[in-house]
Amino acid sequence: MKKISLIPVLLVGALLVYAAQDFPEWGSPNSPASQSPVSSHFIANTGVDTEVPNMVTAVLADYRGFDTMFETVVVFIAGMAVLAILKNSSKKKAGSKEFEVDVEPDLIVTNTVRLLIPVIQIFAFYVLAHGHVSPGGGFQGGVVMGASFILIALSWDLDTALARFPADRCTLVAGLGIVLYAGIGLLSMFLGGEFLDYAELAQIFPVSREMARYHAMLGVEIGVGLTVTAIMFSLYANLSTEGRLKGGL
Amino acid sequence: MMENAIAWILIFPLFGSVACAILGMTNRKICYPIAVLSLACALWAGIETLNQLIASEEHTVAYLLGGWTLDAYPRGVGIELHADILGILITLVVLGVGLIVSVYSKLPVQEETPGKEPLFYTLFLLQVTGLAGICLTGDAFNLYVLIEVAALTGYGLIAMGSNRAAAATFNYVMLGTIGASFYLLGVGYLYIKTGTLNMVGIHDVIEANGLADSATMQVAFVLIGMGILIKMAFFPFHAWLPNAYCNAPTATSSLLAPLVTKVMIYVMIRMVLSVFGVEFSFESTMWTDVVPWLVVVAIVCAAVMALAQREIKRMLSYLIVAEVGYMVGGVWIYNYYGFIGSIFHVISDACMTLCLFLGAGLILRKAKTTHFDGLRGLFSKMPLTMTGFFIGGFSIIGLPPTCGFFSKWYLITGGMVSERWEYMVVLMFSTMVMVVLFFRLIERIHLAVTESGQNLGHGHGDLGLTEEQTRFDEGPLSMLIPLLVSASVVLIVGIYNQDIVSLIEIFLDEFNLPRGEGH
């Protein structure tokens, strides 16, 4: 069976090699992707359109903001699907082993983590808020933030982490993240633009149309960050305890 | 408000799903009305978009998200929702099926997944959002994102089912991920050669630069095509489908079975006609020579496997695989009538599969089994349910005036005009198999003869059941009415087929498809 499965692998590999003969030169300024009006527009006009220095953030959160909204929804779905599969599942399985942890949290570990957590969380905010000018943004910041809660769960136990971020609140925060993102889009629609046309927000905030895009991008990044934070922690809490939310690794 | 109708189609279920997740934590009962209401609003927005589209000159509604309008910015800078007649018709099918299933789902969800209503409806609404978005988007990468939304919610919804659902879902996850990866890789190649992700933009560049002979584009076509074929459960990539749909909760299989495969057929038609273009897809590739023969194998195998089943849901799952073969064949026989048939069959197959799965759900609830042996006497017990179920069955067979007859008629006409006799023969063969399948079911329900020929009753009309077992005992109205509505939709779509076909003709007229001699 292993040998048979080699055949499709080799076939697809051969296909990819065959496709490569017709590629444009590596990094060539004459390749269609560099020549197209789309990327030229991004390079020339991102600053003019949105005042955002980081082109990647502008493409992600504004030009292609609709994609990013659904990417956030995908993260949300992942969390909800894990909940849907694991919730209450342990009640059906009688006699499944409980992994109760009786060990006291280690003194050195907890004290180190006590020092680390604030730094990690402030760094998460920095990554999120600085997405406009440097690499970063909602997804990255959210993951760092979520990791700080997972670190609490690893070094004390899950109950300690859940006391700070209860499971119900995870769902609430994740949902609010999406509401924030789509809500900014909806608000710009009510103000007379298209869905996600942040420039229209200039009508209610005392900023120019370009700066309205700039600030709305921060808003949607915060939405992304909320959803990612909550779902990261919710995934860890549910997967490590088979949905029971007690005991754990 | 009105000019944004196309965006509202996606906004209503998106906000509805988040509302289910958040409000459902305190009050589980509120999820069901939210789901029904948001889908009803989305359907209204869909009909509004259809009206705008018919009123417009080019029969398209283009909506530039984020205000990156075409007059001020190059095409492809922002993401475009691009609805033409094909897209909006399939969107309306998605929303209609979603609404009917959401009304139907009240009791099955409470009984099969107690305590999980908020999660179910969250995923349910996002599934509809994803599928409707696939039909509306005009951006090749956005299509991938929405395929992921639809796929992930599907995995979650299926895995909520019986104990065996988890294993079935795992297979589905694997195959679904492979299919989506192929599609994404293909889109990457498209971007390398064209420098845009907008569907209209890609098509323009292919035409302008004469990319039909480019090796990269040919490979992109194969990758995208393969990815979509895996996603639509085209034989032999169908292995995930029967197990997934059989073990899923009733409401899930009623939603997914009519929609997921059909929406992927839509994606194939969209790619072939609008993105790569007729010339590229049919003249410079070998798919027109090869695929109809694969379709023949697919339909024969799926029909034979359907014959071997002794369980309604499993039998219906194999029928879906056969129907996918019909529609793929209708596209690749490369013919005007084949395309009409394929598109119309997407619509009619969604209606009749919905009808059958809703019926199967009611049977399962009442008889506690969908095995053939447990069906005896069901007609006298639940006549309305069985009537609805049979209308769906007659449509699968292709009896007039159900919609299945008309779509099959166009498919066969297409095969005749293109002189693809193998496709016509296999359509006839599969029709025969469907006749056997459904009349065998009818026999089981009305007669007391078992598999081995033993007669349990005493003479004509005696089912060998007690008075108690055949007493009138219909399913609850919240489930029965959606079934009857879907059965009447099967009839209405059949009777008014000419109106739908004339819309499809307007869509197809701009593509220069061969119509055979004498036209």
Side-chain angles (χ1 to χ4, degrees), chain B residues 291-325:
Chain B
V291 177
W293 288 102
L294 294 178
V295 165
V296 169
V297 178
I299 296 180
V300 169
C301 292
V304 170
M305 283 188 288
L307 262 182
Q309 306 307 321
R310 288 290 173 275
E311 222 236 316
I312 293 180
K313 260 183 147 181
R314 196 164 280 273
M315 180 192 95
L316 294 178
S317 307
Y318 281 104
L319 284 185
I320 295 175
V321 179
E323 302 275 335
V324 167

Side-chain angles (χ1 to χ4, degrees), chain B residues 129-434:
Chain B
T129 317
L131 292 174
I134 291 173
C135 304
L136 291 175
T137 186
D139 191 278
F141 181 75
N142 190 235
L143 182 67
Y144 167 77
V145 175
L146 289 160
I147 286 178
E148 280 302 281
V149 170
L152 275 177
T153 47
Y155 305 147
L157 285 170
I158 291 171
M160 288 168 90
S162 64
N163 288 336
R164 286 155 73 191
T169 312
F170 187 72
N171 278 337
Y172 184 19
V173 170
M174 285 299 138
L175 268 171
T177 310
I178 292 171
S181 315
F182 272 144
Y183 176 80
L184 183 60
L185 196 57
V187 171
Y189 280 12
L190 280 185
Y191 184 72
I192 286 178
K193 290 306 282 183
T194 63
T196 179
L197 290 168
N198 187 288
M199 289 182 184
V200 180
I202 293 173
H203 182 68
D204 290 348
V205 175
I206 290 178
E207 297 255 294
N209 296 3
L211 289 174
D213 297 324
S214 155
T216 311
M217 292 300 278
Q218 291 286 340
V219 172
F221 189 80
V222 172
L223 288 173
I224 290 180
M226 283 290 288
I228 298 171
L229 286 182
I230 293 175
K231 276 272 178 192
M232 71 170 70
F234 184 70
F235 182 89
F237 308 119
H238 69 287
W240 57 269
L241 189 138
N243 281 330
Y245 288 177
C246 288
N247 297 319
T250 306
T252 304
S253 55
S254 312
L255 178 72
L256 298 188
L259 294 184
V260 172
T261 52
K262 263 55 85 180
V263 168
M264 294 319 292
I265 304 265
Y266 159 80
V267 176
M268 184 174 75
I269 297 174
R270 170 67 65 215
M271 285 290 154
V272 165
L273 288 183
S274 308
V275 178
F276 286 96
V278 174
E279 213 173 309
F280 186 108
S281 312
F282 296 106
E283 310 284 341
S284 64
T285 66
M286 296 188 327
W287 284 51
T288 33
D289 304 325
V290 180
V291 177
W293 288 102
L294 294 178
V295 165
V296 169
V297 178
I299 296 180
V300 169
C301 292
V304 170
M305 283 188 288
L307 262 182
Q309 306 307 321
R310 288 290 173 275
E311 222 236 316
I312 293 180
K313 260 183 147 181
R314 196 164 280 273
M315 180 192 95
L316 294 178
S317 307
Y318 281 104
L319 284 185
I320 295 175
V321 179
E323 302 275 335
V324 167
Y326 288 14
M327 290 176 270
V328 175
V331 170
W332 290 105
I333 54 174
Y334 181 32
N335 176 283
Y336 185 72
Y337 301 100
F339 265 99
I340 294 182
S342 267
I343 296 170
F344 192 48
H345 202 72
V346 169
I347 299 168
S348 57
D349 193 41
C351 300
M352 58 212 194
T353 316
L354 172 71
C355 188
L356 288 169
F357 269 83
L358 293 183
L362 270 160
I363 294 171
L364 179 65
R365 190 171 183 278
K366 197 58 83 180
K368 303 290 174 224
T369 175
T370 52
H371 196 275
F372 284 5
D373 289 343
L375 302 180
R376 189 154 43 102
L378 273 183
F379 196 87
S380 32
K381 197 172 177 180
M382 35 208 304
L384 293 173
T385 307
M386 298 320 284
T387 310
F389 185 77
F390 287 150
I391 290 174
F394 290 151
S395 182
I396 291 258
I397 296 171
L399 293 180
T402 55
C403 53
F405 168 76
F406 297 99
S407 50
K408 213 176 256 184
W409 178 264
Y410 281 106
L411 287 174
I412 291 179
T413 313
M416 201 146 56
V417 172
S418 302
E419 300 183 351
R420 301 303 296 238
W421 308 117
E422 74 276 9
Y423 179 63
M424 283 180 64
V425 168
V426 81
L427 275 182
M428 297 297 183
F429 167 77
S430 130
T431 306
M432 296 302 158
V433 172
M434 312 258 173

